[in-house]
Amino acid sequence: MSEADAGTVAKMAVKLGFKDEDLVQELGYDDDVDFKLRDDIEDLIGSAMFDEDDHDVVDAVIFWWRKDDGDLVDALVDSLTTLDEGGIVWILTPKQGRDGYVPPSDIQEAAPTAGLHVTTTAGVSADWAATRLVPRKRQ
């Protein structure tokens, strides 16, 4: 990775809205994740991210999701179990043309069923795109 690309990834961790002392849970970790982005998020929040076995209440969830990972609605519902009120879910999917690509329409369709609303999408690295999801406001 070039220095310019590394700087872009570091800026992306900030752009995702994380700050020092945020509690972040990471789901869907595997050997294909963007390790530079992970490291930059952990540097920014000042601690390691929680994994799938942790049950503490968190400010955000980082969810690495690939085409063949199962039922997206069920996974999104499960991601909400530890999310604090006002928290966000970032679903990270491989970009188009990469193994495991997930069409944005899949996320758009799954989010409302899981009680979430899509707010923004951004490329966060050479191989991954991120979609920001927030819980729908209760009436």
Side-chain angles (χ1 to χ4, degrees), residues 46-99:
S47 66
M49 290 186 271
F50 293 108
D51 65 22
E52 294 168 349
D53 295 327
D54 290 307
H55 300 287
D56 292 14
V57 175
V58 296
D59 302 302
V61 172
I62 295 289
F63 205 140
W64 304 94
W65 186 260
R66 300 140 200 96
K67 176 181 158 189
D68 295 325
D69 281 351
D71 185 278
L72 182 55
V73 173
D74 288 346
L76 289 173
V77 168
D78 290 346
S79 75
L80 300 175
T81 59
T82 59
L83 191 65
D84 197 9
E85 188 174 325
I88 59 171
V89 175
W90 281 102
I91 184 166
L92 289 92
T93 57
K95 288 184 173 178
Q96 188 170 7
R98 309 304 196 282
D99 285 342

Short mmCIF file of all heavy atoms in Angstrom, two decimals, residues 46-99:
data_model
loop_
_atom_site.label_atom_id
_atom_site.label_comp_id
_atom_site.label_asym_id
_atom_site.label_seq_id
_atom_site.Cartn_x
_atom_site.Cartn_y
_atom_site.Cartn_z
N GLY A 46 -8.61 3.92 20.69
CA GLY A 46 -7.71 3.71 21.82
C GLY A 46 -7.83 2.35 22.48
O GLY A 46 -7.37 2.17 23.62
N SER A 47 -8.43 1.38 21.81
CA SER A 47 -8.54 0.04 22.36
C SER A 47 -8.85 -0.95 21.24
O SER A 47 -9.18 -0.54 20.12
CB SER A 47 -9.65 -0.03 23.42
OG SER A 47 -10.92 0.18 22.82
N ALA A 48 -8.77 -2.22 21.58
CA ALA A 48 -9.16 -3.26 20.62
C ALA A 48 -10.67 -3.27 20.48
O ALA A 48 -11.41 -2.92 21.41
CB ALA A 48 -8.66 -4.62 21.09
N MET A 49 -11.14 -3.68 19.32
CA MET A 49 -12.58 -3.83 19.12
C MET A 49 -13.05 -5.10 19.82
O MET A 49 -12.28 -6.06 19.96
CB MET A 49 -12.91 -3.91 17.63
CG MET A 49 -12.71 -2.59 16.91
SD MET A 49 -13.28 -2.64 15.19
CE MET A 49 -11.78 -3.20 14.37
N PHE A 50 -14.27 -5.10 20.28
CA PHE A 50 -14.88 -6.30 20.85
C PHE A 50 -15.12 -7.29 19.73
O PHE A 50 -15.33 -6.90 18.59
CB PHE A 50 -16.21 -5.98 21.54
CG PHE A 50 -16.08 -5.12 22.76
CD1 PHE A 50 -16.49 -3.80 22.74
CD2 PHE A 50 -15.56 -5.62 23.93
CE1 PHE A 50 -16.38 -3.00 23.87
CE2 PHE A 50 -15.44 -4.83 25.07
CZ PHE A 50 -15.85 -3.52 25.03
N ASP A 51 -15.15 -8.58 20.05
CA ASP A 51 -15.44 -9.57 19.01
C ASP A 51 -16.86 -10.10 19.19
O ASP A 51 -17.63 -9.60 20.01
CB ASP A 51 -14.39 -10.68 18.99
CG ASP A 51 -14.38 -11.53 20.25
OD1 ASP A 51 -15.40 -11.57 20.99
OD2 ASP A 51 -13.36 -12.19 20.50
N GLU A 52 -17.17 -11.15 18.42
CA GLU A 52 -18.53 -11.70 18.41
C GLU A 52 -18.94 -12.32 19.74
O GLU A 52 -20.12 -12.48 20.01
CB GLU A 52 -18.64 -12.72 17.28
CG GLU A 52 -18.50 -12.06 15.93
CD GLU A 52 -18.31 -13.05 14.78
OE1 GLU A 52 -18.07 -14.24 15.04
OE2 GLU A 52 -18.38 -12.59 13.64
N ASP A 53 -17.97 -12.68 20.58
CA ASP A 53 -18.27 -13.32 21.85
C ASP A 53 -18.53 -12.32 22.98
O ASP A 53 -19.00 -12.70 24.05
CB ASP A 53 -17.15 -14.26 22.26
CG ASP A 53 -17.00 -15.41 21.28
OD1 ASP A 53 -18.03 -15.86 20.74
OD2 ASP A 53 -15.86 -15.86 21.06
N ASP A 54 -18.20 -11.05 22.76
CA ASP A 54 -18.42 -10.03 23.79
C ASP A 54 -19.87 -9.58 23.79
O ASP A 54 -20.51 -9.51 22.74
CB ASP A 54 -17.51 -8.82 23.54
CG ASP A 54 -16.04 -9.15 23.80
OD1 ASP A 54 -15.75 -9.66 24.89
OD2 ASP A 54 -15.22 -8.91 22.90
N HIS A 55 -20.37 -9.27 24.97
CA HIS A 55 -21.77 -8.88 25.09
C HIS A 55 -21.94 -7.52 25.75
O HIS A 55 -23.01 -7.20 26.25
CB HIS A 55 -22.55 -9.96 25.85
CG HIS A 55 -22.51 -11.28 25.16
ND1 HIS A 55 -23.21 -11.55 24.01
CD2 HIS A 55 -21.81 -12.41 25.43
CE1 HIS A 55 -22.96 -12.78 23.61
NE2 HIS A 55 -22.11 -13.33 24.46
N ASP A 56 -20.87 -6.73 25.76
CA ASP A 56 -20.95 -5.38 26.31
C ASP A 56 -21.74 -4.49 25.35
O ASP A 56 -21.77 -4.71 24.14
CB ASP A 56 -19.55 -4.78 26.49
CG ASP A 56 -18.75 -5.48 27.57
OD1 ASP A 56 -19.16 -6.58 27.98
OD2 ASP A 56 -17.73 -4.94 27.99
N VAL A 57 -22.35 -3.46 25.89
CA VAL A 57 -23.06 -2.49 25.06
C VAL A 57 -22.02 -1.64 24.35
O VAL A 57 -21.05 -1.17 24.95
CB VAL A 57 -24.00 -1.61 25.93
CG1 VAL A 57 -24.64 -0.51 25.10
CG2 VAL A 57 -25.07 -2.49 26.58
N VAL A 58 -22.20 -1.44 23.02
CA VAL A 58 -21.22 -0.73 22.21
C VAL A 58 -21.84 0.48 21.52
O VAL A 58 -23.06 0.56 21.34
CB VAL A 58 -20.58 -1.67 21.17
CG1 VAL A 58 -19.79 -2.78 21.86
CG2 VAL A 58 -21.61 -2.25 20.22
N ASP A 59 -20.96 1.39 21.13
CA ASP A 59 -21.38 2.60 20.41
C ASP A 59 -21.57 2.34 18.92
O ASP A 59 -22.32 3.06 18.25
CB ASP A 59 -20.33 3.71 20.57
CG ASP A 59 -20.09 4.04 22.04
OD1 ASP A 59 -21.07 4.41 22.71
OD2 ASP A 59 -18.94 3.92 22.50
N ALA A 60 -20.87 1.35 18.40
CA ALA A 60 -20.93 1.05 16.97
C ALA A 60 -20.57 -0.40 16.72
O ALA A 60 -19.88 -1.04 17.53
CB ALA A 60 -19.98 1.96 16.20
N VAL A 61 -21.02 -0.89 15.57
CA VAL A 61 -20.68 -2.22 15.11
C VAL A 61 -20.06 -2.09 13.73
O VAL A 61 -20.59 -1.39 12.87
CB VAL A 61 -21.93 -3.14 15.04
CG1 VAL A 61 -21.60 -4.46 14.38
CG2 VAL A 61 -22.53 -3.35 16.42
N ILE A 62 -18.92 -2.74 13.55
CA ILE A 62 -18.29 -2.89 12.24
C ILE A 62 -18.60 -4.31 11.80
O ILE A 62 -18.25 -5.27 12.49
CB ILE A 62 -16.75 -2.71 12.32
CG1 ILE A 62 -16.39 -1.30 12.73
CG2 ILE A 62 -16.09 -3.09 11.00
CD1 ILE A 62 -16.66 -0.29 11.66
N PHE A 63 -19.26 -4.44 10.66
CA PHE A 63 -19.73 -5.75 10.22
C PHE A 63 -19.16 -6.05 8.83
O PHE A 63 -19.56 -5.45 7.85
CB PHE A 63 -21.25 -5.73 10.15
CG PHE A 63 -21.90 -7.07 10.29
CD1 PHE A 63 -23.05 -7.21 11.02
CD2 PHE A 63 -21.37 -8.19 9.68
CE1 PHE A 63 -23.66 -8.44 11.16
CE2 PHE A 63 -21.96 -9.42 9.81
CZ PHE A 63 -23.11 -9.55 10.54
N TRP A 64 -18.20 -6.97 8.77
CA TRP A 64 -17.64 -7.42 7.49
C TRP A 64 -18.61 -8.45 6.92
O TRP A 64 -18.88 -9.47 7.55
CB TRP A 64 -16.27 -8.06 7.69
CG TRP A 64 -15.28 -7.18 8.39
CD1 TRP A 64 -15.00 -7.15 9.72
CD2 TRP A 64 -14.43 -6.20 7.79
NE1 TRP A 64 -14.03 -6.21 9.98
CE2 TRP A 64 -13.66 -5.61 8.80
CE3 TRP A 64 -14.25 -5.75 6.47
CZ2 TRP A 64 -12.73 -4.61 8.57
CZ3 TRP A 64 -13.31 -4.75 6.23
CH2 TRP A 64 -12.57 -4.20 7.27
N TRP A 65 -19.17 -8.19 5.74
CA TRP A 65 -20.18 -9.09 5.19
C TRP A 65 -19.87 -9.43 3.74
O TRP A 65 -19.55 -8.55 2.94
CB TRP A 65 -21.56 -8.42 5.27
CG TRP A 65 -22.65 -9.35 4.87
CD1 TRP A 65 -23.29 -9.40 3.66
CD2 TRP A 65 -23.22 -10.39 5.66
NE1 TRP A 65 -24.21 -10.40 3.66
CE2 TRP A 65 -24.19 -11.02 4.87
CE3 TRP A 65 -22.99 -10.84 6.94
CZ2 TRP A 65 -24.94 -12.10 5.34
CZ3 TRP A 65 -23.74 -11.90 7.41
CH2 TRP A 65 -24.71 -12.51 6.62
N ARG A 66 -19.97 -10.72 3.43
CA ARG A 66 -19.72 -11.22 2.09
C ARG A 66 -20.94 -11.95 1.56
O ARG A 66 -21.78 -12.40 2.34
CB ARG A 66 -18.51 -12.16 2.09
CG ARG A 66 -17.23 -11.50 2.56
CD ARG A 66 -16.46 -12.50 3.44
NE ARG A 66 -15.49 -11.85 4.30
CZ ARG A 66 -15.71 -11.51 5.57
NH1 ARG A 66 -16.87 -11.72 6.15
NH2 ARG A 66 -14.76 -10.94 6.28
N LYS A 67 -21.01 -12.08 0.27
CA LYS A 67 -22.17 -12.66 -0.42
C LYS A 67 -22.64 -13.98 0.19
O LYS A 67 -23.84 -14.19 0.36
CB LYS A 67 -21.83 -12.85 -1.90
CG LYS A 67 -22.90 -13.51 -2.71
CD LYS A 67 -22.44 -13.66 -4.14
CE LYS A 67 -23.20 -14.75 -4.83
NZ LYS A 67 -22.63 -15.07 -6.13
N ASP A 68 -21.74 -14.87 0.51
CA ASP A 68 -22.12 -16.20 0.98
C ASP A 68 -22.10 -16.35 2.50
O ASP A 68 -22.03 -17.47 3.02
CB ASP A 68 -21.20 -17.26 0.35
CG ASP A 68 -21.37 -17.32 -1.16
OD1 ASP A 68 -22.50 -17.12 -1.64
OD2 ASP A 68 -20.36 -17.56 -1.86
N ASP A 69 -22.23 -15.26 3.24
CA ASP A 69 -22.15 -15.31 4.70
C ASP A 69 -23.47 -15.72 5.37
O ASP A 69 -23.51 -15.84 6.59
CB ASP A 69 -21.70 -13.97 5.27
CG ASP A 69 -20.19 -13.79 5.15
OD1 ASP A 69 -19.49 -14.75 4.80
OD2 ASP A 69 -19.72 -12.67 5.41
N GLY A 70 -24.53 -15.91 4.61
CA GLY A 70 -25.79 -16.34 5.22
C GLY A 70 -26.89 -15.34 4.99
O GLY A 70 -26.91 -14.62 3.99
N ASP A 71 -27.83 -15.30 5.93
CA ASP A 71 -28.99 -14.42 5.82
C ASP A 71 -28.66 -13.04 6.38
O ASP A 71 -28.41 -12.90 7.58
CB ASP A 71 -30.18 -15.03 6.56
CG ASP A 71 -31.44 -14.22 6.37
OD1 ASP A 71 -31.61 -13.21 7.10
OD2 ASP A 71 -32.24 -14.57 5.49
N LEU A 72 -28.66 -12.04 5.52
CA LEU A 72 -28.26 -10.69 5.93
C LEU A 72 -29.23 -10.09 6.95
O LEU A 72 -28.79 -9.44 7.90
CB LEU A 72 -28.13 -9.78 4.70
CG LEU A 72 -27.68 -8.35 4.95
CD1 LEU A 72 -26.37 -8.30 5.73
CD2 LEU A 72 -27.56 -7.60 3.64
N VAL A 73 -30.52 -10.31 6.79
CA VAL A 73 -31.49 -9.76 7.75
C VAL A 73 -31.21 -10.31 9.14
O VAL A 73 -31.12 -9.55 10.12
CB VAL A 73 -32.94 -10.06 7.32
CG1 VAL A 73 -33.92 -9.63 8.42
CG2 VAL A 73 -33.28 -9.35 6.02
N ASP A 74 -31.07 -11.63 9.26
CA ASP A 74 -30.79 -12.23 10.57
C ASP A 74 -29.49 -11.68 11.16
O ASP A 74 -29.42 -11.39 12.35
CB ASP A 74 -30.67 -13.75 10.45
CG ASP A 74 -32.02 -14.43 10.21
OD1 ASP A 74 -33.07 -13.78 10.39
OD2 ASP A 74 -32.00 -15.62 9.81
N ALA A 75 -28.47 -11.54 10.32
CA ALA A 75 -27.18 -11.04 10.81
C ALA A 75 -27.31 -9.60 11.30
O ALA A 75 -26.75 -9.24 12.34
CB ALA A 75 -26.14 -11.13 9.70
N LEU A 76 -28.05 -8.78 10.58
CA LEU A 76 -28.23 -7.38 11.00
C LEU A 76 -29.02 -7.30 12.31
O LEU A 76 -28.69 -6.51 13.20
CB LEU A 76 -28.92 -6.57 9.90
CG LEU A 76 -28.07 -6.28 8.67
CD1 LEU A 76 -28.91 -5.61 7.58
CD2 LEU A 76 -26.86 -5.41 9.02
N VAL A 77 -30.05 -8.11 12.43
CA VAL A 77 -30.82 -8.14 13.69
C VAL A 77 -29.91 -8.54 14.84
O VAL A 77 -29.92 -7.92 15.90
CB VAL A 77 -32.04 -9.09 13.58
CG1 VAL A 77 -32.66 -9.34 14.94
CG2 VAL A 77 -33.08 -8.52 12.62
N ASP A 78 -29.09 -9.56 14.63
CA ASP A 78 -28.15 -10.00 15.66
C ASP A 78 -27.15 -8.91 16.03
O ASP A 78 -26.74 -8.79 17.18
CB ASP A 78 -27.40 -11.26 15.23
CG ASP A 78 -28.28 -12.49 15.16
OD1 ASP A 78 -29.42 -12.45 15.70
OD2 ASP A 78 -27.84 -13.50 14.56
N SER A 79 -26.76 -8.09 15.05
CA SER A 79 -25.78 -7.02 15.32
C SER A 79 -26.34 -5.95 16.24
O SER A 79 -25.58 -5.20 16.86
CB SER A 79 -25.30 -6.38 14.01
OG SER A 79 -26.28 -5.52 13.45
N LEU A 80 -27.65 -5.89 16.37
CA LEU A 80 -28.28 -4.87 17.21
C LEU A 80 -28.35 -5.26 18.68
O LEU A 80 -28.64 -4.41 19.52
CB LEU A 80 -29.71 -4.59 16.70
CG LEU A 80 -29.80 -4.07 15.27
CD1 LEU A 80 -31.27 -3.94 14.85
CD2 LEU A 80 -29.08 -2.76 15.12
N THR A 81 -28.04 -6.51 19.01
CA THR A 81 -28.22 -6.97 20.39
C THR A 81 -27.33 -6.23 21.39
O THR A 81 -27.71 -6.09 22.55
CB THR A 81 -27.98 -8.49 20.52
OG1 THR A 81 -26.66 -8.80 20.08
CG2 THR A 81 -28.99 -9.27 19.69
N THR A 82 -26.17 -5.77 20.97
CA THR A 82 -25.27 -5.07 21.88
C THR A 82 -25.15 -3.58 21.57
O THR A 82 -24.41 -2.87 22.24
CB THR A 82 -23.85 -5.69 21.84
OG1 THR A 82 -23.34 -5.61 20.50
CG2 THR A 82 -23.87 -7.12 22.31
N LEU A 83 -25.88 -3.11 20.56
CA LEU A 83 -25.77 -1.71 20.14
C LEU A 83 -26.52 -0.78 21.07
O LEU A 83 -27.71 -0.98 21.35
CB LEU A 83 -26.30 -1.57 18.71
CG LEU A 83 -26.03 -0.24 18.02
CD1 LEU A 83 -24.53 -0.04 17.79
CD2 LEU A 83 -26.77 -0.17 16.69
N ASP A 84 -25.81 0.24 21.55
CA ASP A 84 -26.41 1.24 22.43
C ASP A 84 -27.41 2.09 21.64
O ASP A 84 -27.29 2.23 20.42
CB ASP A 84 -25.31 2.14 23.00
CG ASP A 84 -25.76 2.94 24.22
OD1 ASP A 84 -26.86 2.69 24.75
OD2 ASP A 84 -24.98 3.82 24.65
N GLU A 85 -28.37 2.66 22.34
CA GLU A 85 -29.32 3.56 21.70
C GLU A 85 -28.54 4.70 21.05
O GLU A 85 -27.64 5.28 21.65
CB GLU A 85 -30.31 4.12 22.74
CG GLU A 85 -31.42 4.92 22.11
CD GLU A 85 -32.46 5.34 23.13
OE1 GLU A 85 -32.71 4.56 24.08
OE2 GLU A 85 -33.00 6.44 22.99
N GLY A 86 -28.86 4.99 19.81
CA GLY A 86 -28.14 6.02 19.09
C GLY A 86 -26.88 5.52 18.41
O GLY A 86 -26.16 6.28 17.76
N GLY A 87 -26.60 4.23 18.54
CA GLY A 87 -25.41 3.65 17.92
C GLY A 87 -25.60 3.44 16.43
O GLY A 87 -26.69 3.57 15.89
N ILE A 88 -24.50 3.11 15.76
CA ILE A 88 -24.53 2.89 14.32
C ILE A 88 -23.92 1.54 13.96
O ILE A 88 -23.12 0.99 14.71
CB ILE A 88 -23.78 4.00 13.55
CG1 ILE A 88 -22.32 4.09 14.00
CG2 ILE A 88 -24.48 5.33 13.69
CD1 ILE A 88 -21.47 4.99 13.15
N VAL A 89 -24.33 1.04 12.81
CA VAL A 89 -23.78 -0.18 12.25
C VAL A 89 -23.14 0.19 10.93
O VAL A 89 -23.78 0.81 10.08
CB VAL A 89 -24.86 -1.26 12.02
CG1 VAL A 89 -24.27 -2.48 11.33
CG2 VAL A 89 -25.53 -1.65 13.33
N TRP A 90 -21.87 -0.14 10.76
CA TRP A 90 -21.20 0.00 9.48
C TRP A 90 -21.07 -1.39 8.89
O TRP A 90 -20.37 -2.23 9.46
CB TRP A 90 -19.82 0.62 9.64
CG TRP A 90 -19.83 2.10 9.82
CD1 TRP A 90 -19.67 2.79 10.98
CD2 TRP A 90 -20.00 3.09 8.79
NE1 TRP A 90 -19.73 4.14 10.74
CE2 TRP A 90 -19.93 4.36 9.41
CE3 TRP A 90 -20.20 3.02 7.40
CZ2 TRP A 90 -20.06 5.54 8.68
CZ3 TRP A 90 -20.33 4.19 6.69
CH2 TRP A 90 -20.26 5.44 7.33
N ILE A 91 -21.76 -1.66 7.79
CA ILE A 91 -21.59 -2.94 7.12
C ILE A 91 -20.58 -2.74 6.00
O ILE A 91 -20.73 -1.86 5.16
CB ILE A 91 -22.94 -3.51 6.61
CG1 ILE A 91 -22.72 -4.89 6.01
CG2 ILE A 91 -23.63 -2.58 5.66
CD1 ILE A 91 -23.99 -5.68 5.80
N LEU A 92 -19.50 -3.51 6.07
CA LEU A 92 -18.43 -3.42 5.08
C LEU A 92 -18.53 -4.62 4.15
O LEU A 92 -18.56 -5.77 4.61
CB LEU A 92 -17.07 -3.38 5.77
CG LEU A 92 -16.81 -2.05 6.49
CD1 LEU A 92 -17.25 -2.14 7.93
CD2 LEU A 92 -15.36 -1.69 6.40
N THR A 93 -18.62 -4.34 2.86
CA THR A 93 -18.78 -5.38 1.85
C THR A 93 -17.69 -5.24 0.79
O THR A 93 -17.23 -4.12 0.53
CB THR A 93 -20.17 -5.29 1.19
OG1 THR A 93 -20.34 -3.99 0.63
CG2 THR A 93 -21.28 -5.57 2.20
N PRO A 94 -17.30 -6.35 0.17
CA PRO A 94 -16.32 -6.26 -0.92
C PRO A 94 -16.88 -5.38 -2.05
O PRO A 94 -18.07 -5.43 -2.36
CB PRO A 94 -16.15 -7.70 -1.38
CG PRO A 94 -16.55 -8.53 -0.19
CD PRO A 94 -17.66 -7.74 0.46
N LYS A 95 -16.00 -4.60 -2.65
CA LYS A 95 -16.41 -3.76 -3.77
C LYS A 95 -16.74 -4.61 -4.99
O LYS A 95 -16.33 -5.77 -5.09
CB LYS A 95 -15.29 -2.77 -4.13
CG LYS A 95 -15.13 -1.67 -3.11
CD LYS A 95 -14.07 -0.69 -3.58
CE LYS A 95 -13.99 0.52 -2.66
NZ LYS A 95 -12.93 1.45 -3.10
N GLN A 96 -17.48 -4.02 -5.91
CA GLN A 96 -17.86 -4.71 -7.13
C GLN A 96 -16.61 -5.25 -7.83
O GLN A 96 -15.59 -4.58 -7.91
CB GLN A 96 -18.61 -3.77 -8.06
CG GLN A 96 -19.20 -4.47 -9.26
CD GLN A 96 -20.14 -3.57 -10.04
OE1 GLN A 96 -20.27 -2.38 -9.77
NE2 GLN A 96 -20.80 -4.15 -11.01
N GLY A 97 -16.72 -6.49 -8.31
CA GLY A 97 -15.60 -7.15 -8.97
C GLY A 97 -14.72 -7.95 -8.03
O GLY A 97 -13.84 -8.69 -8.47
N ARG A 98 -14.92 -7.81 -6.72
CA ARG A 98 -14.14 -8.57 -5.73
C ARG A 98 -14.94 -9.80 -5.29
O ARG A 98 -16.17 -9.82 -5.34
CB ARG A 98 -13.83 -7.73 -4.48
CG ARG A 98 -13.22 -6.37 -4.67
CD ARG A 98 -11.93 -6.39 -5.45
NE ARG A 98 -11.13 -5.19 -5.36
CZ ARG A 98 -11.34 -4.05 -6.01
NH1 ARG A 98 -12.39 -3.89 -6.77
NH2 ARG A 98 -10.49 -3.04 -5.88
N ASP A 99 -14.22 -10.84 -4.86
CA ASP A 99 -14.89 -12.03 -4.33
C ASP A 99 -15.80 -11.64 -3.17
O ASP A 99 -15.39 -10.88 -2.29
CB ASP A 99 -13.87 -13.06 -3.84
CG ASP A 99 -13.17 -13.78 -4.97
OD1 ASP A 99 -13.69 -13.76 -6.11
OD2 ASP A 99 -12.10 -14.37 -4.72
#
